[in-house]
Amino acid sequence: MPRINNSTLPRRAIPSVPVLSLGAFGSRRAGLPALDDAPAVQLVTSGRIAIGMALRALGVGPGDTVLVPAYHSPSMIPPVHWCGAEVVFYRVHPDTTVDLDDVRRKMAPGVRAVMATHFFGFPQDLRALRALCDAHHAGLVEDCAHCFFGEHEGVAVGASGDYAIGSSMKFFPIFEGGCLVSHRHRLPDRLAGAGAGFEAKAALGALEASFGQGRLPALRLAAALPLHLKTVLWSRIKARAAGATVATAAPALAPSSSDSSFSFDSHWVDRRSSWFSRRVLRGADRARIVERRRRHYLELERALEGAPGWQPLFAALPQGACPWVFPLLAERPAALHERLRAAGVPMVRFGASLWPGVDAATCANSVALGRRLFGLPVHQELSPSERTWLAASVRAALAASMAAPA
Ligand SMILES: *Cc1c(COP(=O)(O)O)cnc(C)c1O
C-alpha cells in the first residue's frame, strides 16, 4: 500500500474543528450577513434543540407531518418526534438543492412544516419553496447548521424561513452552542441557565480542545477569565485530578449534542447557551472566519486540481457563501476513505448514515451523496503548514484510491 512519508505528518493531528486561538477575537462585522443578525435570536446549546423549539413555535404536534430532506443529518429527526409529529422525506437534486416537484407531491393537509438545509455553507434559493409553503399554510424551518454566514441574491441566510436554526459549534471555537432566530416572528425571552457545572464544562471543553492542539498559552487565557468562572473551573479541575472525571461525576452536565451522537435530550430545550460560548460568539473576529474559510476552500480546490478520482460538489464558490467544509465527490469512496483515515486526515462523511428506511427508492441522489461525499476541513484555525499537509495528503490518498484494486 502506498504510504505518505512520515516526515510530512504534523506532530499532532490537524484540528478537525476550529479551536480557540488568540487570533480568534476581533470585530463583529463579518462581510457577510450572519444568522444571529436576525431581529429575534435565542442562543441555545445545539442546532437540534433549536429545531425542536422552532417546530414547537410553529405549533407542530401529534398528527402533523414535517417534510425533511432525504439528505440530512440524523440529528434533524428526533426533534420532530419530540413534537409528536411524523417525518416524511422529500428528494433533493444531485447538487443537494430541494426537489420542488417532490415537495409539491408530498404537500398533504397534515404537513405543518418543511425543513430546508443550506448544505455545506452554500446558500440555496428558497423563494419557490417559501411560496409553496405559504400556499399550503406550512411553516418553513431554514436549517443553517452549515451556513452561519451567507446570502443568496441579497437574501440573508435565515431570512426566508419562519424560523432558522444554526449550529454555532460548527463555526466558532466553542464546546456547545446553537441558535434559533427569526426575521418574521418574535421569540419569547424565557431561556434559563443550565447551572454552574454546565458553565464550567462548556468553558473547559473549549479550552481543552485548544490546549490539546497547542493553540493557547494557558496563562494568558486564564488571566482573561472572570473570577467566578475561574473558581468553578478550578474546583472541577481539582475534582478531575482527584480521579473523578467531570463526565462520571455528573453525566448530564453537558448536552450529548456536543459529542458525535444524533440524540435529542429535551432537558436542553429553553436552556441558554453557556456564558463562555456566548462570550466567544460576541467577541469572535467574524471577518476573519468568513475570509479564511473562503480562502482555505479556494486554496484546497486549486491544490487538488488535476488529481484523479474526484470532482467538487459545487462548480464554484459563490460570493455569498462561507463554507463549512470542502465537499468533494469521490470516484472510489471506500478506497479513499481508507487512505484518508490511515493518513489521519479529518473528514466529514455527511449523509453516510441516513435515518433508517431512507434508501434509493426514497431518494437515489441522497444515497449517492452519502456514499460519495467527503467534507474536508477549511476552518479558520488551519495554519499554512497544516493546509499544505492536508492538500498533499488528500492528493496522495486520491492517487492511491485510484491505484487500488477494485
Ligand atoms: C449538525 C447539524 C444539525 C444539528 O446541529 P447540532 O448543533 O449538532 O445539534 C442540524 N442540521 C444539519 C444539516 C447538521 O449538519
Side-chain angles (χ1 to χ4, degrees):
M1 188 176 92
R3 291 193 140 253
I4 297 161
N5 179 355
N6 266 331
S7 66
T8 63
L9 288 171
R11 269 213 310 257
R12 297 184 181 85
I14 71 171
S16 56
V17 293
V19 292
L20 269 177
S21 73
L22 289 174
F25 296 93
S27 148
R28 191 181 162 110
R29 289 165 50 100
L32 278 181
L35 202 52
D36 59 352
D37 291 343
V41 178
Q42 287 186 328
L43 298 180
V44 290
T45 55
S46 69
R48 69 199 70 178
I49 289 294
I51 292 175
M53 291 167 64
L55 295 174
R56 182 185 63 182
L58 287 168
V60 172
D64 291 333
T65 301
V66 177
L67 301 188
V68 176
Y71 191 52
H72 57 261
S73 159
S75 63
M76 295 159 68
I77 315 304
V80 179
H81 295 155
W82 173 71
C83 292
E86 274 179 33
V87 172
V88 168
F89 293 97
Y90 67 82
R91 294 181 179 168
V92 300
H93 295 298
D95 65 354
T96 74
T97 54
V98 177
D99 181 339
L100 271 178
D101 292 331
D102 198 48
V103 174
R104 209 171 281 120
R105 274 193 291 275
K106 286 167 178 164
M107 269 295 189
V111 174
R112 252 307 167 94
V114 178
M115 258 191 256
T117 305
H118 300 291
F119 294 99
F120 309 116
F122 290 66
Q124 296 190 16
D125 187 342
L126 294 181
R127 283 173 291 194
L129 181 64
R130 178 74 250 182
L132 189 60
C133 288
D134 288 342
H136 289 83
H137 308 289
L140 178 60
V141 176
E142 199 178 336
D143 179 345
C144 303
H146 299 179
C147 217
F148 198 93
F149 304 97
E151 63 187 351
H152 180 87
E153 291 182 15
V155 181
V157 289
S160 305
D162 290 279
Y163 297 93
I165 70 97
S167 180
S168 330
M169 293 182 265
K170 290 183 170 122
F171 284 84
F172 295 88
I174 53 180
F175 177 74
E176 55 74 36
C179 59
L180 173 62
V181 312
S182 184
H183 286 253
R184 292 160 192 258
H185 308 284
R186 287 167 181 276
L187 287 169
D189 186 18
R190 64 166 173 219
L191 298 185
F198 163 71
E199 294 290 340
K201 177 68 187 156
L204 258 185
L207 293 174
E208 279 176 344
S210 178
F211 295 150
Q213 295 289 339
R215 301 296 162 123
L216 272 187
L219 282 173
R220 278 190 67 177
L221 199 95
L225 287 172
L227 205 60
H228 72 272
L229 192 66
K230 228 178 336 195
T231 311
V232 193
L233 277 175
W234 187 236
S235 63
R236 291 277 152 195
I237 291 166
K238 276 193 297 199
R240 291 198 130 186
T245 67
V246 171
T248 54
L253 221 46
S256 63
S257 44
S258 294
D259 313 329
S260 49
S261 92
F262 296 128
S263 63
F264 182 88
D265 181 352
S266 60
H267 171 76
W268 300 96
V269 169
D270 295 330
R271 303 273 176 179
R272 196 179 297 119
S273 179
S274 67
W275 175 87
F276 191 92
S277 293
R278 286 181 286 128
R279 184 71 195 80
V280 170
L281 236 63
R282 199 162 61 240
D285 187 336
R286 292 173 170 227
R288 175 178 177 269
I289 296 176
V290 171
E291 189 271 324
R292 288 196 175 202
R293 283 179 175 263
R294 287 183 55 86
R295 182 150 50 83
H296 298 172
Y297 180 100
L298 293 169
E299 194 181 277
L300 189 55
E301 184 181 52
R302 242 187 338 268
L304 297 183
E305 226 172 75
W310 76 284
Q311 63 189 79
L313 175 63
F314 300 108
L317 178 68
Q319 283 300 328
C322 172
W324 171 44
V325 291
F326 181 90
L328 67 78
L329 296 169
E331 252 166 69
R332 311 270 305 267
L336 181 62
H337 186 101
E338 184 48 37
R339 297 309 188 285
L340 289 175
R341 199 194 50 73
V345 173
M347 55 181 146
V348 176
R349 298 299 310 276
F350 188 86
S353 11
L354 296 171
W355 195 255
V358 178
D359 57 17
T362 322
C363 177
N365 292 330
S366 297
V367 173
L369 283 163
R371 199 170 54 79
R372 293 187 59 200
L373 192 129
F374 290 73
L376 300 171
V378 295
H379 65 76
Q380 63 271 21
E381 297 302 338
L382 294 174
S383 70
S385 63
E386 287 168 343
R387 279 161 13 231
T388 304
W389 174 85
L390 175 69
S393 304
V394 175
R395 277 194 79 102
L398 282 165
S401 78
M402 295 308 281

